[in-house]
Structure formats: structure tokens, C-alpha cells
């Protein structure tokens, strides 16, 4: 079982503040699943406009946090490791459902399970929870490609 702090995560993901949305990996079983954490604070730049009277984390950013956790699972699951200069690209999202708002002070636990991997396409089942409540669930698809001058999603 693998764990990681923010320093190791930053060596693996190309994202940086304010778009790095995984703070810690609690456990990862390569080829199977990962549990990661996103601590949601009032200092997040999106809260000033979403929404000033009642801060709510945008659903698209919850999905992005799940995709970043899926990327870490993919990196650690890749046979022979990840080749230098490779980026994981978010290919698709299916069956995304949002169950309740996420607010400052919440801790998102990102649960992602690898469901299939065929011809370079990875599929994941993902769920974000606050305490025992499911706040978002989705199916995510991603692929690894050699990086170009264009950035990853």
C-alpha cells in the first residue's frame, strides 16, 4: 500500500495552486484503488464568486479532484512506471451525480477504483465523500500520452 504527501504528489502531477486539488494520498493499492484527500478552505479563489452569500465548491472542481486522484492511481498502476514526459489526459466523464454541496471546512475524501484498462484507456469508478456522505459520484476515463507543447486537462 502506498501513501503520499503534497511534496510527492507535486512530483507526479503537473497541476499547481490553485488547480492542484489533491492534498494527500491516504492509501493506494496500485492496479486497484486509491483514497486521497482535498481539504476545502475558505481561501480557495473560487469561493469569492461561487457564491459570496453561501460558498459552494463548484461541481466541476470536485470532478477534477477525482480525476487527479485517478491520475495518481494510473501512474502507480502503470507497468514499468510512467515514462518521463508523459501526461495523463482526462478523456471523459459519465454518470456524474452531485448529492450535496461542499463548503469551506469540509474534507473531501476521494475514493477511486480502477475498473478497466484497455489499449491505453483507463476507466475508473469514483466517489467523493464528506464524512460518511457521498457528495459526488462519477465514472472517469483517462489516457497517458507523451506531452507536447499543449497542457494536460
Amino acid at each position: 500500500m502506498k501513501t503520499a504527501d503534497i511534496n510527492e504528489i507535486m512530483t507526479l502531477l503537473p497541476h499547481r495552486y490553485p488547480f492542484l486539488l489533491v492534498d494527500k494520498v491516504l492509501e493506494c493499492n496500485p492496479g486497484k484503488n486509491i483514497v486521497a484527500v482535498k481539504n476545502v478552505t475558505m481561501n480557495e479563489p473560487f469561493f469569492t464568486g461561487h457564491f459570496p452569500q453561501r460558498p459552494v465548491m463548484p461541481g466541476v472542481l470536485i470532478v477534477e479532484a477525482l480525476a487527479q486522484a485517478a491520475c495518481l492511481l494510473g501512474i502507480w498502476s502503470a507497468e514499468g512506471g510512467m515514462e518521463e514526459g508523459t501526461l495523463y489526459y482526462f478523456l471523459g466523464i459519465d454518470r456524474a451525480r452531485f448529492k450535496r454541496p461542499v463548503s469551506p471546512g469540509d474534507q473531501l475524501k476521494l475514493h477511486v477504483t480502477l475498473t478497466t484498462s484497455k489499449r491505453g484507456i483507463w476507466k475508473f469508478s469514483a466517489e467523493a465523500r464528506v464524512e460518511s456522505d457521498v457528495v459526488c459520484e462519477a465514472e472517469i476515463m483517462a489516457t497517458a500520452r507523451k506531452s507536447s507543447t499543449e497542457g494536460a486537462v
Side-chain angles (χ1 to χ4, degrees), residues 125-148:
S125 173
E127 193 175 81
R129 299 179 194 159
V130 173
E131 295 175 8
S132 62
D133 296 336
V134 175
V135 297
C136 175
E137 56 190 13
E139 294 173 4
I140 295 171
M141 289 188 310
T143 191
R145 297 283 184 258
K146 286 296 260 177
S147 64
S148 65

Side-chain angles (χ1 to χ4, degrees), residues 4-42:
D5 64 11
I6 190 65
N7 296 310
E8 185 173 358
I9 291 166
M10 288 175 59
T11 67
L12 298 170
L13 296 179
H15 308 81
R16 293 296 177 263
Y17 180 83
F19 216 70
L20 179 59
L21 299 174
V22 176
D23 295 324
K24 185 177 191 176
V25 174
L26 300 177
E27 66 181 72
C28 180
N29 299 295
K32 295 180 182 169
N33 66 320
I34 191 169
V35 178
V37 171
K38 164 62 180 152
N39 294 305
V40 182
T41 70
M42 190 59 196

